[in-house]
Amino acid sequence: MSADFGTRLRALLTDRGLSLRGAARALNYDVAYLSRVANGRQHPSAQLAEALEELLEVSGELTALAMPKTPLSVSEAPPGPAKDIAQMKASAAYLLGHTDRYGGDTVAPAAVQVWRSAQRKLDSGEIPDKEQSGYLSAVSEAAEVAGWLLFDSGEREHARRAFLESHMLARHAGDRAMQWFALDMLAMLDTECSRPGETRRIADELLSQRRIPPRVALLARVRRGRALAQTGDRQRAMADLDAARGELEESLSPRDPGWAWWVNADEVVGHSGHALMSLGDLRGAIPTLQHSLEHATPRGVMLYRIGLLQGYTALKAWSEAEGEIYEISALLDTISSGRNRRLLREALRIVDRAPGVPSGLSSLASHTAAAVAS
């Protein structure tokens, strides 16, 4: 399926007289990532497919090719570990695609069910010894996916348990790539929970490992930069984040794990915007977050707009804050993310109680908060 996408993408680029490098520049994507997709070596994200459709002026064609489908071999194969692994991967692809568009609330329970079902089979001793390692890795990935969706649903402690389980399973499987992934997810969770000390310990552990892939090291720098910003250490925080941005092109390596494909310039810029918010540099944070809106997923757009609402409120830019509330309200019927709703409620509470806030804006914030809570 990725090869079909790549073949059609190359044909469309040729028809439009556009090079891969030109397309990457226009979309602000890494050219190496786009090259891997175009050559069938990496699965395209729904976000990339939609951006390419807009650039190449086609409707629905690339998005349809990028939609995860369960291969025929999965349904036709006899029951056994190989079929279980294929089904886990197909389920993960579908659930993650849904989350990018609509948020994780409705699909998190399904992801937990996939993980727990596979875990029970593993614990029961049903998996033959010769297939244990591959099955352990697959269950580790299922736990990581469940953890991410639980995190997006606002279930922080359940997410932490899933990430810790993912790390343990990956360690037993000898799967270093999944171990790195689980640690990165734990660092992400600790950043969200304002535990900069723990985030830094994880990032430092990753960076101290020998022959760590460049993209994993880049993400560790991003996590550490966010943690340093939370402690008010601007110089070192921005040094880490600036280094991560500078390493984006150079960091691409055959050693990078498959899960690191999503790391692009907009993602790192978004983290820089949130770091600047933590440091109180609102005038620097706002244009940085605005830049990240351009290619974010719908769920990501909502997250960045919440950050912008916080920034405008702190600056007493009431008209801009009102505009952001209206923009966010338009997303509420589509995006179901407990994490984003919690962040939005906190931001709206600050608007409602801000000194000097116009009465109309205060009423709008209160009304929107009630809608979020319902």
Side-chain angles (χ1 to χ4, degrees):
M1 184 270 299
S2 294
D4 292 340
F5 183 97
T7 299
R8 185 56 184 147
L9 172 58
R10 292 196 303 274
L12 288 167
L13 289 170
T14 300
D15 289 345
R16 307 303 193 268
L18 190 61
S19 68
L20 272 175
R21 187 169 296 278
R25 187 182 302 113
L27 298 176
N28 200 23
Y29 272 84
D30 291 329
V31 66
Y33 165 46
L34 193 57
S35 176
R36 292 197 300 274
V37 169
N39 289 288
R41 296 197 300 272
Q42 187 161 330
H43 188 91
S45 66
Q47 176 188 358
L48 173 62
E50 291 172 0
L52 283 166
E53 284 186 337
E54 184 175 349
L55 176 68
L56 299 172
E57 299 180 338
V58 294
S59 178
E61 185 177 354
L62 293 176
T63 302
L65 289 172
M67 282 292 291
K69 299 179 178 65
T70 302
L72 288 177
S73 58
V74 173
S75 58
E76 294 172 353
K83 181 174 182 178
D84 289 347
I85 290 171
Q87 288 176 330
M88 278 187 266
K89 291 184 179 296
S91 296
Y94 174 80
L95 295 172
L96 290 170
H98 179 99
T99 302
D100 279 346
R101 289 173 176 266
Y102 307 114
D105 287 11
T106 58
V107 292
V112 171
Q113 184 179 36
V114 170
W115 161 38
R116 292 298 191 190
S117 176
Q119 183 84 52
R120 283 193 296 271
K121 188 170 289 190
L122 185 65
D123 294 342
S124 71
E126 292 181 41
I127 310 302
D129 289 348
K130 65 180 181 180
E131 295 177 294
Q132 279 275 335
S133 179
Y135 202 86
L136 278 164
S137 291
V139 181
S140 171
E141 184 176 2
E144 185 280 324
V145 170
W148 162 244
L149 299 184
L150 287 165
F151 171 76
D152 191 62
S153 300
E155 300 286 344
R156 290 174 168 178
E157 290 310 309
H158 289 99
R160 179 178 297 279
R161 286 196 286 272
F163 293 145
L164 288 170
E165 184 71 16
S166 175
H167 185 263
M168 184 193 70
L169 291 166
R171 185 163 50 82
H172 286 308
D175 187 340
R176 294 189 71 198
M178 283 307 302
Q179 290 179 61
W180 295 325
F181 201 1
L183 287 173
D184 178 68
M185 291 290 97
L186 283 166
M188 171 198 70
L189 179 58
D190 284 322
T191 300
E192 181 88 3
C193 295
S194 298
R195 289 194 278 252
E198 183 62 19
T199 303
R200 286 186 59 189
R201 283 190 288 274
I202 293 172
D204 288 341
E205 177 185 341
L206 286 168
L207 290 167
S208 70
Q209 294 183 18
R210 295 180 59 188
R211 287 184 55 76
I212 189 171
R215 286 264 151 149
V216 179
L218 184 156
L219 274 168
R221 291 188 188 281
V222 169
R223 305 301 183 196
R224 189 170 67 184
R226 290 289 305 275
L228 288 165
Q230 288 179 340
T231 64
D233 190 339
R234 182 188 179 100
Q235 183 175 358
R236 289 200 294 165
M238 300 318 295
D240 264 335
L241 290 160
D242 289 345
R245 277 203 300 273
E247 291 167 2
L248 273 167
E249 288 292 343
E250 291 76 11
S251 70
L252 289 162
S253 163
R255 295 193 296 115
D256 290 331
W259 57 261
W261 64 265
W262 54 269
V263 184
N264 60 28
D266 287 298
E267 187 74 26
V268 178
V269 169
H271 281 288
S272 297
H274 284 296
L276 290 167
M277 287 284 293
S278 296
L279 291 164
D281 183 357
L282 304 176
R283 297 193 184 280
I286 286 172
T288 306
L289 291 173
Q290 287 172 331
H291 176 82
S292 298
L293 287 172
E294 296 178 13
H295 302 297
T297 62
R299 182 186 48 77
V301 167
M302 187 172 177
L303 179 63
Y304 293 137
R305 289 204 178 280
I306 292 169
L308 288 169
L309 173 60
Q310 293 170 321
Y312 289 135
T313 302
L315 290 172
K316 301 188 184 301
W318 305 126
S319 177
E320 289 82 356
E322 182 179 8
E324 289 301 331
I325 292 177
Y326 282 119
E327 292 284 355
I328 292 167
S329 296
L331 300 170
L332 290 175
D333 288 338
T334 303
I335 300 170
S336 178
S337 165
R339 175 202 183 196
N340 282 4
R341 286 199 307 275
R342 176 182 57 77
L343 294 171
L344 178 57
R345 285 195 298 270
E346 293 172 0
L348 290 168
R349 191 178 303 116
I350 292 170
V351 173
D352 190 29
R353 299 175 180 176
V357 61
S359 58
L361 179 56
S362 177
S363 297
L364 175 63
S366 179
H367 176 77
T368 307
V372 173
S374 64

